[in-house]
Amino acid sequence: MRTGLYIFDTKERDLKEVCAKNGFEVSIYCCGPTVYRDAHVGNLRTFLLGDLIKRTLTFSGFESNLIQNITDVGHMAEDLVGNEIGEDKLLAQSKVEAIDPFEIARKYEANFHFDLAKLNVIPANSYPKASETIDLMLKLIAELIASDHAYLGSDGCVYFSATSYPRYGEISGNKLDSLKPGYRHEHVEDGAKRFHADWALWKAAANRTEMIWDSPWGPGFPGWHIECSAMSLHFLEGNVDLHLGGIDLRFPHHENERAQSNSAVGYEVVENWVHGEHLLFEGRKMSKSAGNVVLLNDVIAKGLDPLSLRLCFLENRYRSQMDLTWESLRAADATLERWRKKMLQWQDEGEIENRFVSDFCDGSLTDIKEDLDTPRALQKLRRLEKDELVSGATKAACFNSLDAIYGLEFAREPKAKAEATPEILDLLEKRSSARAAKDFGQSDELRDKLLKLGISIKDSSAGQDWDWI
Ligand SMILES: [Zn+2]
């Protein structure tokens, strides 16, 4: 079934129409978070891309089945070009925070869902966890060994034989003969692999005692890449109409996933590989070492509507590198406030011209179906805002209707402060006292508690002020 939605396919390097192989339902797989830390705003940009596609399909009358995995085991620390150089990210963080690795996973998984809810992301149909789908991975690895696409190395790890998949490299352009020996220099693999670009599907536990499972090849844990093959093949029944992820996952993660999945079933599993581009913040790449990582909570802590982040992303094409700034976030926040105030006025101004509304919405949908050109569609929305020939009621109807795609809550009314519960008022008072006593640890703790209750705080020389998020 054709959908009329065209998106850039990284592998074909061209626009490709999204087609639902299974009738009306488009099957989508989006690589999810590795839950050892909070997702930063760059990661959230990719997750919002999935939401935009899902909303566009729904608006166009199609169903979608979106699967997003939660990686809670097997994702090793990497260097800048994807070489695995450290230990499991979950176990490393578990040492830093001195708590059980599975508790780390559940903590950051909860934060991930909190962020998605604040950004108005429609939940995926399922969020399978790596640690709960080990059986699927073991079955797939056994099949790959049986068909000679994988082998047991001399170190007890199971490796995928890269040369057994001659079409390796078509997504990223990184063909096997151009990958130099030493590309992967994970020490446990030295000499155990048949070919330097082979990668581990199953890793022997060696000295590791946590997050390990039994397998036909001894105790160990899965590699990161096999997780996405196992999940997409199982939950989407071997057919992925759209596969989403950040551009940094194009290689090696998606090349390896494609090789594994296609080798297992003997056909092209993914129809369209879609990648969201990098996000810079204030002109720089975000990194922990540079100390410039921005989380959604940082946006909220500045008193900005989290949906201002959503608006900023919609005003830039998903496959353009984007430079997000505090200034653009503040401008988006002001725009949302202005639109919501105008919506209140417009509702009572004149009659709704239904024909205009349906033509306007069709025009916007046409833009968005052309490789998700939301910047162009939003320019038209801004022109409509200022168009004096169109009645207020008609404008409000257009905004309301298109909000099903934008998810910006145009019709939301600001909540009155008087509605704060006694619990919130009590926490606010305690925080105010903590600040007066210069107990900043306590004050930050209370701020986090209030954040979870939907309250953002602004501190100034005049004291603390608060608002609903
Ligand atoms: Zn993945």
Side-chain angles (χ1 to χ4, degrees):
M1 173 70 65
R2 296 175 58 178
T3 66
L5 169 60
Y6 286 79
I7 307 190
F8 188 82
D9 177 15
T10 310
K11 183 165 76 66
E12 302 297 329
R13 290 156 180 74
D14 203 356
L15 290 187
K16 192 170 173 184
E17 185 176 5
V18 176
C19 293
K21 265 198 199 150
N22 295 331
F24 281 90
E25 190 176 85
V26 179
S27 56
I28 308 173
Y29 186 86
C30 182
C31 289
T34 301
V35 283
Y36 71 108
R37 64 175 183 194
D38 288 317
H40 59 56
V41 290
N43 307 130
L44 294 173
R45 189 183 184 200
T46 308
F47 305 149
L48 280 165
L49 171 61
D51 190 57
L52 173 64
I53 292 171
K54 194 171 170 68
R55 284 170 175 272
T56 302
L57 288 168
T58 306
F59 197 81
S60 312
F62 295 93
E63 305 272 331
S64 58
N65 184 12
L66 171 63
I67 305 296
Q68 186 165 32
N69 63 312
I70 303 287
T71 301
D72 56 2
V73 64
H75 194 169
M76 315 301 273
E78 301 139 340
D79 66 11
L80 288 174
V81 289
N83 290 311
E84 294 181 348
I85 52 166
E87 63 179 327
D88 195 308
K89 293 180 178 188
L90 265 292
L91 290 177
Q93 189 61 22
S94 147
K95 282 180 197 158
V96 171
E97 298 192 33
I99 49 177
D100 180 82
F102 285 107
E103 254 182 71
I104 291 282
R106 300 296 82 87
K107 170 183 162 181
Y108 290 105
E109 187 187 354
N111 291 357
F112 162 71
H113 288 298
F114 176 85
D115 284 353
L116 293 197
K118 285 287 164 240
L119 287 170
N120 242 352
V121 170
I122 295 171
N125 298 70
S126 175
Y127 293 100
K129 299 179 185 61
S131 64
E132 292 176 2
T133 47
I134 301 289
D135 286 352
L136 293 177
M137 296 183 230
L138 292 178
K139 187 167 162 277
L140 183 58
I141 295 168
E143 285 168 11
L144 288 168
I145 292 176
S147 58
D148 277 340
H149 287 289
Y151 60 90
L152 184 62
S154 56
D155 57 356
C157 299
V158 179
Y159 293 99
F160 186 88
S161 169
T163 47
S164 79
Y165 187 67
R167 297 176 66 189
Y168 188 92
E170 288 180 346
I171 304 174
S172 62
N174 290 325
K175 298 292 175 67
L176 285 177
D177 49 13
S178 64
L179 293 176
K180 293 187 174 54
Y183 145 68
R184 288 194 165 257
H185 46 72
E186 194 183 358
H187 68 280
V188 293
E189 296 179 6
D190 283 347
K193 294 191 287 187
R194 293 180 189 161
F195 183 68
H196 60 84
D198 294 350
W199 63 90
L201 303 175
W202 184 259
K203 302 191 186 195
N207 298 326
R208 178 161 154 167
T209 55
E210 292 178 287
M211 291 190 139
I212 53 173
W213 288 263
D214 283 332
S215 85
W217 318 286
F221 59 100
W224 172 39
H225 315 302
I226 195 69
E227 166 188 341
C228 288
S229 284
M231 290 196 189
S232 57
L233 288 173
H234 176 78
F235 292 102
L236 295 172
E237 295 169 0
N239 163 53
V240 183
D241 294 319
L242 273 181
H243 192 303
L244 309 177
I247 193 75
D248 52 325
L249 300 186
R250 185 177 43 174
F251 177 83
H253 185 56
H254 289 163
E255 289 291 6
N256 293 5
E257 180 189 330
R258 175 172 178 251
Q260 294 158 174
S261 299
N262 291 3
S263 298
V265 299
Y267 58 85
E268 195 75 47
V269 173
V270 173
E271 280 299 321
N272 199 335
W273 289 95
V274 178
H275 291 99
E277 254 297 343
H278 274 304
L279 180 79
L280 301 176
F281 198 90
E282 300 284 4
R284 292 161 67 211
K285 187 178 188 300
M286 275 182 286
S287 77
K288 204 176 165 192
S289 54
N292 66 339
V293 171
V294 177
L295 309 179
L296 185 63
N297 278 349
D298 297 322
V299 174
I300 296 170
K302 284 195 184 272
L304 299 171
D305 185 333
L307 295 181
S308 57
L309 182 67
R310 193 174 176 113
L311 177 55
C312 282
F313 291 156
L314 289 168
E315 287 192 294
N316 288 269
R317 201 69 168 278
Y318 74 98
R319 62 187 178 96
S320 310
Q321 185 166 294
M322 173 183 168
D323 185 14
L324 185 67
T325 61
W326 286 118
E327 193 186 338
S328 59
L329 281 164
R330 276 191 291 271
D333 186 72
T335 301
L336 282 179
E337 198 168 307
R338 187 181 77 236
W339 281 342
R340 286 177 189 144
K341 281 181 184 158
K342 286 196 172 176
M343 287 288 284
L344 286 175
Q345 298 165 19
W346 285 339
Q347 279 165 14
D348 306 320
E349 289 174 11
E351 299 290 313
I352 298 179
E353 299 158 58
N354 286 317
R355 180 66 191 266
F356 182 95
V357 176
S358 79
D359 285 352
F360 187 86
C361 292
D362 284 351
S364 300
L365 185 60
T366 301
D367 290 336
I368 296 169
K369 282 179 140 183
E370 188 68 18
D371 203 19
L372 305 172
D373 197 348
T374 48
R376 186 184 171 99
L378 283 170
Q379 275 171 16
K380 287 184 182 163
L381 201 68
R382 286 175 185 275
R383 281 203 293 276
L384 175 67
E385 178 192 358
K386 296 194 177 76
D387 192 337
E388 290 177 2
L389 299 174
V390 180
S391 74
T394 303
K395 290 180 188 176
C398 292
F399 271 70
N400 260 333
S401 178
L402 289 171
D403 206 28
I405 298 182
Y406 297 135
L408 293 168
E409 297 191 355
F410 294 138
R412 189 171 84 193
E413 286 182 51
K415 282 191 179 184
K417 288 191 182 184
E419 287 176 34
T421 60
E423 182 195 5
I424 289 170
L425 292 172
D426 181 49
L427 289 170
L428 284 165
E429 192 164 326
K430 279 185 181 145
R431 185 172 182 279
S432 186
S433 310
R435 280 185 64 79
K438 298 206 184 312
D439 183 349
F440 296 112
Q442 167 93 5
S443 145
D444 285 351
E445 212 172 282
L446 288 161
R447 181 212 290 266
D448 290 346
K449 273 191 188 161
L450 285 158
L451 195 63
K452 291 220 158 79
L453 294 169
I455 300 287
S456 73
I457 306 239
K458 248 187 214 169
D459 293 313
S460 70
S461 51
Q464 72 177 22
D465 191 14
W466 66 274
D467 208 343
W468 291 100
I469 294 165

